[in-house]
Amino acid sequence: MCFLFSWCTFIKSPKSSQGHHVSMSSIDGVKVCVCVFQSLDYDNSENQLFLEEERRMSFLGFKCLEISRWVICGLIGFLTGLIACCIDIAVENLAGVKYYVVKQNIEKFTEVGGLSISLILWAVLNSAFVMVGAVIVAFFEPGAAGSGIPQIKCYLNGVKIPRVVRLKTLVVKVCGVICSVAGGLAVGKEGPMIHSGAVVAAGVSQGRSTSLKKDFKIFEYFRRDTEKRDFVSAGAAAGVSAAFGAPVGTHCTTCPSAQHVPQHNMSLSTTCPSAQHVPQHNMSHSAQHVPLCTTCPTLHNMSHSAQHVPLCGLLGALFNILNYWLTIFRIRYVHRPCLQVMEAMLVAAVTATVSFAMIYFSNDCQPLGPDQSEDYPLQLFCADGEYNSMATAFFNTPERSVRSLFHNPPGSYNPLTLSLFTLTYFFLACWTYGLTVSAGVFIPSLLIGAAWGRLFGILLAAITPNGSVWAVPGKYALMGAAAQLGGIVRMTLSLTVIMVEATGNVTYGLPIMLVLLTAKIVGDYFVEGLYDIHIKLQSVPFLHLEAPATSHWLTAREVMGAPVTCFNRIEKVGTIVDVLSNTSTNHNGFPVIVPLIISEQSMTPPFFIHPCFLSSLSLIPSSSPQLGKICGLILRSQLIVLLKHKVFVELARSRLTQRKLQLKDFRDAYPRFPPIQSIHVSQDERECMMDLTEFMNPTPYTVPQETSLPRVFKLFRALGLRHLVVVDSENRVVGLVTRKDLARYHLGKHGLEEMQLAQT
Amino acid sequence: MCFLFSWCTFIKSPKSSQGHHVSMSSIDGVKVCVCVFQSLDYDNSENQLFLEEERRMSFLGFKCLEISRWVICGLIGFLTGLIACCIDIAVENLAGVKYYVVKQNIEKFTEVGGLSISLILWAVLNSAFVMVGAVIVAFFEPGAAGSGIPQIKCYLNGVKIPRVVRLKTLVVKVCGVICSVAGGLAVGKEGPMIHSGAVVAAGVSQGRSTSLKKDFKIFEYFRRDTEKRDFVSAGAAAGVSAAFGAPVGTHCTTCPSAQHVPQHNMSLSTTCPSAQHVPQHNMSHSAQHVPLCTTCPTLHNMSHSAQHVPLCGLLGALFNILNYWLTIFRIRYVHRPCLQVMEAMLVAAVTATVSFAMIYFSNDCQPLGPDQSEDYPLQLFCADGEYNSMATAFFNTPERSVRSLFHNPPGSYNPLTLSLFTLTYFFLACWTYGLTVSAGVFIPSLLIGAAWGRLFGILLAAITPNGSVWAVPGKYALMGAAAQLGGIVRMTLSLTVIMVEATGNVTYGLPIMLVLLTAKIVGDYFVEGLYDIHIKLQSVPFLHLEAPATSHWLTAREVMGAPVTCFNRIEKVGTIVDVLSNTSTNHNGFPVIVPLIISEQSMTPPFFIHPCFLSSLSLIPSSSPQLGKICGLILRSQLIVLLKHKVFVELARSRLTQRKLQLKDFRDAYPRFPPIQSIHVSQDERECMMDLTEFMNPTPYTVPQETSLPRVFKLFRALGLRHLVVVDSENRVVGLVTRKDLARYHLGKHGLEEMQLAQT
């Protein structure tokens, strides 16, 4: 039921534009908005213009394109690294100032009493930061909310999430993440960095900014979905590399979500991480110095990690389930921007209060050693030369807390501190994810996992004989972090490589992989991954890797949309305008058919029909357009450009000098094609005819009606299609399969289930 | 021109069987054999039987299949690890005995003179080992020659290399590689280990051995190309893991060659490496103790690796070019098994002689330290307490030589020794690869690279001020090894991960990736990778990742094969037998058409034709089968099974009790379908009719004639097709595109080139 709701935070206001279409509907008495997402077209429309251009291009031209691709990738890598660096520096400085002020205040009031003033100061500072972050997200660019990884995943899958790769989103995202991390929320900055990389890539590769109305007249060849997708994928990879300092792991991350990315993109993505001259070593620095036994063989590690197995994934699944309920609650009741800002501020204040209470009531004092790496050691009620251990975990940015959990020597934390910390931080992080702020979930997951992993290690050392020798808490913290993160986001291969690269120790590769695999299997038994949950809650028609296993009894005839609006090869302008203006259908692709009443002049090759057919063909009434044989497919965006340039048969005859429409005209309009309402067509022009032959894709992929769903799915997913025409044995159009028709089937607990997606 | 030749070592004798078809032709006056490879079918034939089975299967059934997949992967991993372990132990022991005997002999004769006896002993021992290895390969199973990686690459790409995944190949491969490594050839055992993993996977996943005539009646569901391919991919991954101890790198290796492998296979492959309880740490042990500065930051490494750039890839390209000429020479003149064995023995003797001469004339004596890790330190003419440094490189298995080049302290080798060693070993390795022995090229490449890398490091330390401080020779050896290997095999991502995992140090990830990337770019400028060269020389119709860039002007009409042999939906048995027996065409897929003379009983749904058509349809003569509308596609293998079981319309009517043919019957015959000659069809039976409706794939993928080559290519590659039917606008079959039609276009230095492939 809840799949009907979509995440309103994406939508600023329920307006209807070409970019996205929003309709308001009332379900369960609750007013929710249903966004209907469009698809991207990862299959080139190989029309005559395109083929002519490709054929004109020399071998050298293709080489030049290849070089441009490398240049763009270099630029993407450099800019993404720069942005990540700025985020890092800003967060460190702001958080530093904040913690310094609060620490001074606490120290001042510890002696004289009145620590409640410190608490208020801390809570107000946090709320102020978070308020700024939440306001810009909620009021200026709701698309910048969350980690951005689900959005990029959808984009690479072929769903056009509105405004996800725009400049404004980038600016809001960067400012927002700085505010939310500095505001002390239980969030990380890795997701936003990956999103930033993707936006940078989408911008740089197009050689212009539509927002700034600046066209550099370069990289024009790359102005289409297929090429842009490749660069966005590379940009996301650059973002991963910048966030984790893991240039190799990047490949593994971006590939699974975009199966139809051609492989030359693999080599492209390689450049981005390599070209980053500003490597960010957040995690690698934090974990590189883990004082673990680096010489113990892999088998030893494996046996250790096996002890984690029962816990792997369970906590992650719990996190996801809680967050799922919370998100549904938010969709229903917290969908106005001011409410969202207030909730974010509330969470910030509560985080500060809870942290303060935990630190206040903790009596875990640790000696302040000479090799002390604490950044803000709080003495509080501890003896001189000691510090409060709970404060190490809470009075710190999450990243630094992870680092201290990984590499502080055994004995730095007592079990009670760790269990209290795990418990509170778990609920705080769960509450925080999904707020209308720009924030990621990687670091909080790692922190929760590291805490319970370390706790597990300490307990193991205590209860097993000789345990204190081999049960090094830091190692268990690492494994716990992997398990928790794997249980929440459910990546295996990519996370293994990223964590191995980040820890800088290959010995942990196999145990980490085992832990992640177990976490995935256990977690998948209960609930989906966090990103998938949020993708579903946004009712995004996301196509998974394969069709559901038990869907062989469905055929194209059952899943396709019918009847289909078709156009004739030479169509009346009025008809086209009317169809495009019809907001109730709002189709984006239209099969082009050869009318069955065949006049002599349209009988041109390549659509030769055997003469003896003609006698019978003319018997069929032309009133049912579905009966025409398919000869092409044309997109709404192409028709809009044609209408804008008034490419009418009559005008071409009268104005012979008129410039012929080129592919460049389509590229200039990409990606923000004007809505049909903005194009004025006079009453006279409505009577003109439009010849679509040159502009339609003459060879769309088609399937017969009897094709099974897995077969249709495979074709759709492997080629990145947007429209698949279903034809009968006579090649007549009988239906059209789109992404939504396929995405509505999914495998439930008891077999195939059909979702009731909001229809276009 | 030379693409016409194929590698004869694959073919035992020029016989024609269903497995592969060999025709002898005389080109350039030289008699060469041309193998015509068949394709694998990675697109399920979704006929009625298949769909019925899938629909009958419950949700629980699919879960069970999933579990079987994991079990199989576990078994594959375990067995592959076991085999790799056996190879390792056998090689170490045999080589140990050999070197011990020769060393004793040399020591005996160093004093008294007469070292020529030692030389002869060494050469004879080497030749004896190699003779055994070459004889079993040349006479028993020529498919086991070489590293096996090109063959597995082809298999995953969709080409059926004869006998590549058979039990006999596995046995010969394992024995052969033990002999050739113990015989002192410049070879490695990594390639054969990967091949072994693939064979194990192909065997285990089928739950039976056709060679041993043993059917365990398990895993019957997996008896088809699609499923088998997934397991072979996982097996190859397990092989990589066993060979390099690099469980994560395995994914990156297997994915690029098989783009159409579904992603669930990714998770399958994961289990194999993880399930290996016998991890092989060949390289990791060798390089884990490299005494390099592990704390120096990445940027420092990057600047170092940049100095390698001019050399990267050049030596690799040279290696490939020389080996290319050599292979052509071998194809022309060394194609008889006895000649091949003699060549292998010659190489073994020459290797021993050259090594001996190098050691004999070298005067690079090094002190024998207390931490000496030399296995067979040869004193020869050195003073007491010293050993011959050249012997460390030559008088050793290649793996141990690599290890000593990586981790021996600075000063262990003098530059002259290294340059002489690089030079001789380069030519020896180049001569060795392509011999009729089972042997890989990984370790020799690493050895050559490590030698010149170390040399480079030493020279750099000498000529730059302060160079001896930062120019650690071991590090340069590692970079050189990466560059040489990358220059020869041209993998980037997978090799990076493998080498990082093998060295156990992530710090080298970025520099290694840069070096490999440079090596690939430089190398690609001159010549293809070694594996690609050998794939081409075998005239395998290998499909690369994308269609050549400048191929947009080609359409399906130009590349397709026409006319196509079609069958009617209800076809005469005699016609089918005649077509299948026709050795000159030897087609494997046949479009099934609705005859245009339509009788009432065949007018069943789903192929409804509008009644008003009927009058005109009957006008078309039925003699041109190409004019029928396509209604399905049937494979030779399916027809053979039908003929074998005599599934004739007349017999079904007379014997009503006859068991209905099931999918199981097709699976039992898989993969070695009997040849048509072995099936007896009487004269009476020839007059019977066969109804193909139930068995044909009713929804084959089709494209119109105007589809551009890149579009056809994309469809073919993304879906793993074997046959793609080309239809006209009336859905009538006009042609058939197969793998060979696409593989013959490739990008040369000056644009698109069309190869003259030997036609089926």
Side-chain angles (χ1 to χ4, degrees), chain B residues 235-290:
Chain B
V240 173
S241 178
F244 301 103
V248 182
T250 55
H251 297 280
C252 311
T253 320
T254 44
C255 292
S257 47
Q259 199 188 13
H260 44 71
V261 176
Q263 291 287 328
H264 80 87
N265 182 31
M266 292 282 283
S267 58
L268 280 182
S269 317
T270 318
T271 26
C272 293
S274 317
Q276 284 201 44
H277 297 297
V278 198
Q280 301 293 317
H281 286 280
N282 307 330
M283 266 184 63
S284 63
H285 275 247
S286 67
Q288 224 165 29
H289 310 107
V290 188

Side-chain angles (χ1 to χ4, degrees), chain A residues 42-46 50-51 54-55 57-59 62 70 247-248 251-252 255-256 259-264 266-267 270-271 273-274 276-277 279 281 288 298-299 302 492-493 496-497 500-502 504-507 509-510 513-514 517 521 545-546 549-550 552-555 557 606-610 612-613 615-617 619-620 629-630 697-708 710-712 714-715 718-720 727-732 747-751, chain B residues 42-46 50-51 54-55 57-59 62 70 247-248 251-252 255-256 259-264 266-267 270-271 273-274 276-277 279 281 288 298-299 302 492-493 496-497 500-502 504-507 509-510 513-514 517 521 545-546 549-550 552-555 557 606-610 612-613 615-617 619-620 629-630 697-708 710-712 714-715 718-719 727-732 747-751:
Chain A
Y42 289 159
D43 179 50
N44 279 333
S45 174
E46 295 205 334
F50 176 82
L51 286 177
E54 292 283 323
R55 284 165 194 171
M57 202 182 291
S58 67
F59 184 53
F62 281 104
W70 288 89
V248 183
H251 298 279
C252 311
C255 292
Q259 200 186 12
H260 43 72
V261 176
Q263 291 286 329
H264 81 87
M266 292 280 283
S267 58
T270 318
T271 24
S274 317
Q276 285 201 44
H277 296 296
H281 286 280
Q288 225 165 28
T298 311
L299 276 172
M302 278 173 66
T492 50
L493 179 63
T496 309
V497 181
V500 165
E501 284 199 272
N505 193 325
V506 179
T507 329
L510 201 52
M513 193 192 257
L514 276 184
L517 206 63
I521 293 171
L545 298 166
E546 276 183 329
T550 52
H552 268 103
W553 55 271
L554 282 170
T555 63
R557 192 190 288 122
F607 299 99
F608 176 76
I609 293 182
H610 201 281
C612 54
F613 270 60
S615 55
S616 63
L617 290 173
L619 298 173
I620 299 169
K629 278 188 205 311
I630 182 158
N697 177 1
T699 53
Y701 293 112
T702 60
V703 288
Q705 300 173 75
E706 298 77 29
T707 315
S708 71
R711 215 172 161 75
V712 172
K714 196 178 160 194
L715 188 69
L719 302 177
V727 294
D728 64 5
S729 63
E730 302 286 314
N731 252 342
R732 288 174 301 204
L747 212 56
K749 282 265 175 250
H750 308 290
Chain B
Y42 288 158
D43 180 49
N44 280 332
S45 173
E46 295 205 334
F50 175 82
L51 287 176
E54 292 282 322
R55 285 164 193 171
M57 201 183 291
S58 66
F59 184 51
F62 282 105
W70 288 88
V248 182
H251 297 280
C252 311
C255 292
Q259 199 188 13
H260 44 71
V261 176
Q263 291 287 328
H264 80 87
M266 292 282 283
S267 58
T270 318
T271 26
S274 317
Q276 284 201 44
H277 297 297
H281 286 280
Q288 224 165 29
T298 310
L299 276 172
M302 278 173 65
T492 49
L493 179 62
T496 307
V497 181
V500 165
E501 283 200 272
N505 193 324
V506 180
T507 328
L510 201 52
M513 193 191 255
L514 276 184
L517 206 62
I521 293 171
L545 299 164
E546 275 184 330
T550 52
H552 269 102
W553 55 271
L554 282 170
T555 64
R557 192 189 289 124
F607 299 99
F608 176 77
I609 293 183
H610 202 281
C612 54
F613 270 59
S615 56
S616 63
L617 290 173
L619 298 173
I620 298 169
K629 279 187 206 309
I630 184 159
N697 177 1
T699 52
Y701 293 113
T702 59
V703 287
Q705 301 173 74
E706 298 77 30
T707 315
S708 71
R711 215 172 161 77
V712 172
K714 195 178 162 194
L715 189 69
L719 302 176
V727 294
D728 65 4
S729 64
E730 301 286 314
N731 252 342
R732 288 174 302 203
L747 211 57
K749 285 263 176 253
H750 308 290

Side-chain angles (χ1 to χ4, degrees), chain B residues 302-335:
Chain B
M302 278 173 65
S303 66
H304 284 194
S305 64
Q307 293 152 351
H308 270 83
V309 169
L311 270 168
C312 281
L314 278 183
L315 277 175
L318 183 65
F319 186 100
N320 292 2
I321 291 170
L322 290 181
N323 195 270
Y324 172 72
W325 290 337
L326 190 64
T327 309
I328 290 177
F329 177 85
R330 283 198 178 121
I331 287 171
R332 294 202 181 187
Y333 303 109
V334 197
H335 47 82

Side-chain angles (χ1 to χ4, degrees), chain A residues 155-206:
Chain A
Y155 185 91
L156 292 179
N157 191 267
V159 185
K160 189 175 188 166
I161 309 282
R163 292 195 303 284
V164 74
V165 287
R166 296 220 181 152
L167 186 63
K168 195 173 157 195
T169 311
L170 175 66
V171 173
V172 170
K173 192 113 207 170
V174 169
C175 300
V177 75
I178 292 171
C179 290
S180 46
V181 179
L185 288 180
V187 297
K189 53 191 159 42
E190 281 63 32
M193 279 182 185
I194 295 168
H195 190 168
S196 305
V199 181
V200 165
V204 169
S205 66
Q206 304 299 298

Side-chain angles (χ1 to χ4, degrees), chain B residues 84-107:
Chain B
C85 199
C86 292
I87 294 178
D88 251 13
I89 293 170
V91 164
E92 287 298 316
N93 287 334
L94 285 178
V97 168
K98 188 189 79 176
Y99 285 118
Y100 179 77
V101 170
V102 175
K103 186 168 180 264
Q104 294 295 11
N105 192 281
I106 290 176
E107 275 168 6

